[in-house]
Amino acid sequence: MSDAAHNSLVAHQFDDARQQQEAATVGMWTFLITEIMFFGGLILAYMIYRNQFAESFHAASRVLDVWVGCFNTCVLLVSSLTMALGVRAAQMGDRKKLVLFIIATMIFGAAFLGVKAYEYAEKFEHHLVPGPTFHFHGVPGHEHAPNAEIFFSLYFAMTGVHALHMIVGLGLMTWLLRKSIKGTFSKDYYNPVEICGLYWHFVDIVWIFLYPLLYLIDRS
Amino acid sequence: MSDHSEHHIVPLKVYFLVFSALMILLFVTVGVAMVNLGPFNIYVAMSIAIIKAVLVVLYFMHVRYSTRLTMVVAAAGFIWLVFLLGITILDYTSRSWIPGSYQ
Amino acid sequence: MDTTSTVERVSATGIISDTIRTNFLNADYGIKSWLLTKDHKRIAILYLISITVFFMIGGAFAAMIRMELITPEADVFTSEAYNKVFTTHGIMMVFFFLIPSIPATLGNFLVPVMVGARDLAFPRINLLSWYIYVIGGLFTLTALVLGGVDTGWTFYTPYSSTYSNGYVMLTGIGIFITGFSSILTGLNFIVTVHKMRAPGLGWFRLPLFVWANYAASLIMVLGTPVVAIGIVMIALERGLGLGIFDPRLGGDPVLFQHIFWFYSHPAVYIMILPGMGVVSEIMACFSRRHIFGYKFIAFSSLGIAIIGFLVWGHHMFVSGQSSYAGIVFSLFTFIVAVPSAIKVFNWTATMHKGRIVYSTPMMYALGFIGLFLVGGLTGLFCASLGVDIHIHDTYFIVAHFHYVMVGGSVMAYLGGIHFWWPKMTGRMYPEGWGRFSALLVFVGFNLTFFPQFIAGYLGMPRRYHVYPPEFQIYNVLSSGGALVLGIGFMIPLIYLFWSLKYGEKAGPNPWRAAGLEWETTSPPPTFNFDYQPVVDHEPYNYSEIDARSSATVSTHSVQEEQHV
């Protein structure tokens, strides 16, 4: 196709870079709404059971460490900031900063997963993983939780699926890092950075909801 | 061919302001959880989470500077989530035999 | 401009070029050029072949069901084997044939051409979706070979999560993976329709087929992830011992039904909406009229897609859902019938005073309207809370949804395949055989499923392989009809293959139809058009086309024109 605006950075099916960029953004957002619905199923289950087993959920939630969760939220919010700054660096064509911010994002993302792994290990030790070995002790004053196993099933399902998304995100970041070191991105072509950024922020948003839902049910 | 007027570059100040707001809201939500508000704890916590999510969507995800189509797509996701949650909860809250439902 | 220069002449059968033009089929040869293609038209052909395979597997299992049910006793299968047979029939037909049927084949081929684009927005993702589909299919086939699954295609908990000893996990993984292929197709369509329309092609100049596929894409994107997480939860429960639906821990198995039907009811609209799009195209073309109520048909597609998300609980009237919720779901179900009815009225009005041509696609489209009407109206019986208690889980339900899915979707699919076959392959199919098989499918279908309404109303339950002897007459009729239906499906398979080599060459526009896809050559070149198409007229301008062409030569096969 002999389109004046065509160059190697614009795929054959698009007329110009702007159409390509808008299509990529809308495409990513369309994918993200599928992700919203994906987590929606878990949030639905959470909502129903929390409403039904209020007492168990209050007691079970107290077992989780608020401050570890809070720390992890901070880590993730910082990673979102570095990601946003990375996209900005890409927009300005600043390759060095882009590489730096992607590395920073990856470090914070990995830190989040590390803390999560520590929390999981602790749950294993305390027999809080659903299954035949599950045994709920609770914290003093809040020992009674007949349906605690449901809470922990949801805890592992929700945080597990979230962690899986983080791992996918780290994979995307690795890919971005390689490409940005090679100098693929420029002022005129930074779509991949932008849409990977959208994904990263989305995973952050999911955690913004999971943290109060799982850790902050009742702390008074 | 590159049309730079379309690529809105958000000033650094905005990113840092939004980030500070997110951190402040995080500590507010932890703080509020320590106070017994009865059934209102969950509403406060969810309101704060929604504000945080909206901040991320509008500024970090650039929806504020995007086309209207992007805004519609983003909104559709949340509307359909409300369909899923709202209608199902309608069933559970009207089952008289379940604790927590309206009798 | 990468096609060879051509000398065109006007022949008795329309405009046919003397030299062979470069098109998407002969642009490149070899298995690699197909398996690594990014051309949406080739991917559509890949999908066409693979869904035909799954349709035949599903059909074989349907034949087994009908064979078993000829007599009231258990002759062929044990109860457990029968459970696996009907489960496999359902899973193959629903997830691997009906859902991808029209969108992934006809939609994939036509949506970019109809909007005047060179390809879909994300060609690589399109190819990926086919691979994902095949991988998902292989998982499910593996489960089938190893011993199958017996939960029914609905995977209800706690049977699927705890008690069933079939290959639930493997089948579930297969369906989960295939779900992604559907999401990616939908995503591609949405972005393409929004961002890739040709100059002058505003929303209200889009063919209704594009509108219908757009609406179906919304459902694929918004619904599929919900059933995906449902399957994940079953897998976590079955595989890792988490308990989300486990009643022993206080979990609610009915919650799974909510999650499952939130997708699986709208999924019915994924199946039927593109079919409605096909019928709109065929109806206008063979009535030689502008489609009646264009905007009503377009918006009713969106209406069905949106309201369709609010009705899922009508599958759960007797599963322990609250009766108040039942009332709400029943009400929404009645409301969703309105946009469907609007479409039927508009098609009927389109035919009124049209010059109807009884070609094969038109016969399928007319069959669609009749059968969809029966399927839709019996749907209203099922949506009434009181009536549903009587007919729930009986053959009445089976007959109802087959009228919608087979009488609706499959008829439209076959009609669409015939209508666009000349465009896809550049060859005409044999018209006489086409009409004969369309008639055979219609008769066979009714013979198969109408008796099931009666048997169901009289109380024959579904999913059992033994039944009281008084139902035998209906089952024998039904099995006989299935044979006719099967032959009706085999004939097109044979003559369509035959036509690839021996069919008459089709010109760019054998039906004198409106729409961008008919303005390019048959088969289209790799990038669809040799020029940038610009749209400067309204859609379905059949009166203009006929006025123009009455002066020049008449094109293909307008043999039996009748004035109505």
Side-chain angles (χ1 to χ4, degrees), chain A residues 47-97:
Chain A
M47 231 169 89
I48 302 293
Y49 292 133
R50 175 167 172 175
N51 194 36
Q52 261 182 54
F53 310 123
E55 194 193 6
S56 293
F57 270 52
H58 283 226
S61 156
R62 277 177 183 266
V63 174
L64 305 177
D65 191 326
V66 182
W67 298 108
V68 173
C70 183
F71 172 75
N72 240 356
T73 316
C74 290
V75 167
L76 214 48
L77 288 176
V78 175
S79 83
S80 245
L81 178 68
T82 56
M83 187 70 235
L85 294 176
V87 174
R88 188 171 182 275
Q91 284 177 321
M92 312 211 351
D94 191 336
R95 193 174 117 198
K96 223 168 102 191
K97 270 195 192 157

Side-chain angles (χ1 to χ4, degrees), chain C residues 353-414:
Chain C
K353 289 194 177 162
R355 290 187 295 121
I356 294 177
V357 185
Y358 289 97
S359 61
T360 311
M362 187 63 169
M363 287 178 67
Y364 277 113
L366 290 170
F368 172 97
I369 293 181
L371 300 180
F372 176 72
L373 207 62
V374 175
L377 288 175
T378 50
L380 293 181
F381 303 180
C382 308
S384 317
L385 284 162
V387 179
D388 186 64
I389 292 172
H390 177 66
I391 58 181
H392 184 87
D393 250 350
T394 67
Y395 263 85
F396 193 91
I397 304 288
V398 176
H400 154 68
F401 70 71
H402 279 93
Y403 263 83
V404 179
M405 290 180 183
V406 186
S409 302
V410 179
M411 294 291 268
Y413 172 71
L414 286 172

Side-chain angles (χ1 to χ4, degrees), chain C residues 68-199:
Chain C
E68 168 61 58
L69 290 177
I70 291 174
T71 66
E73 299 86 30
D75 320 284
V76 192
F77 300 115
T78 60
S79 305
E80 206 191 342
Y82 184 76
N83 289 346
K84 288 177 175 171
V85 168
F86 73 71
T87 302
T88 310
H89 168 67
I91 288 172
M92 289 295 159
M93 287 302 199
V94 169
F95 292 112
F96 294 96
F97 173 70
L98 282 165
I99 287 173
S101 63
I102 297 178
T105 57
L106 293 171
N108 225 334
F109 196 100
L110 291 163
V111 166
V113 190
M114 282 177 164
V115 302
R118 288 181 284 279
D119 205 320
L120 283 169
F122 310 113
R124 248 183 298 179
I125 287 182
N126 195 22
L127 180 64
L128 179 69
S129 91
W130 179 72
Y131 275 101
I132 291 175
Y133 169 81
V134 171
I135 293 168
L138 288 179
F139 266 97
T140 307
L141 285 179
T142 311
L144 177 64
V145 172
L146 288 177
V149 63
D150 61 348
T151 57
W153 76 282
T154 49
F155 294 101
Y156 273 9
T157 51
Y159 185 65
S160 61
S161 56
T162 314
Y163 303 107
S164 166
N165 48 19
Y167 287 83
V168 177
M169 288 280 264
L170 212 51
T171 315
I173 291 169
I175 292 168
F176 180 85
I177 295 173
T178 307
F180 275 97
S181 103
S182 172
I183 288 175
L184 294 179
T185 303
L187 188 155
N188 235 330
F189 284 0
I190 289 175
V191 177
T192 305
V193 174
H194 272 288
K195 287 288 166 202
M196 319 264 301
R197 280 171 285 130

Side-chain angles (χ1 to χ4, degrees), chain A residues 1-44:
Chain A
M1 289 285 133
S2 56
D3 203 322
H6 252 93
N7 64 28
S8 58
L9 296 177
V10 179
H12 70 87
Q13 70 272 25
F14 294 113
D15 292 335
D16 52 41
R18 192 176 154 194
Q19 189 189 25
Q20 170 164 293
Q21 198 217 340
E22 284 181 6
T25 309
V26 174
M28 192 63 199
W29 268 105
T30 313
F31 179 72
L32 291 184
I33 62 176
T34 72
E35 291 279 22
I36 294 176
M37 298 310 289
F38 190 72
F39 282 99
L42 287 168
I43 292 174
L44 174 69

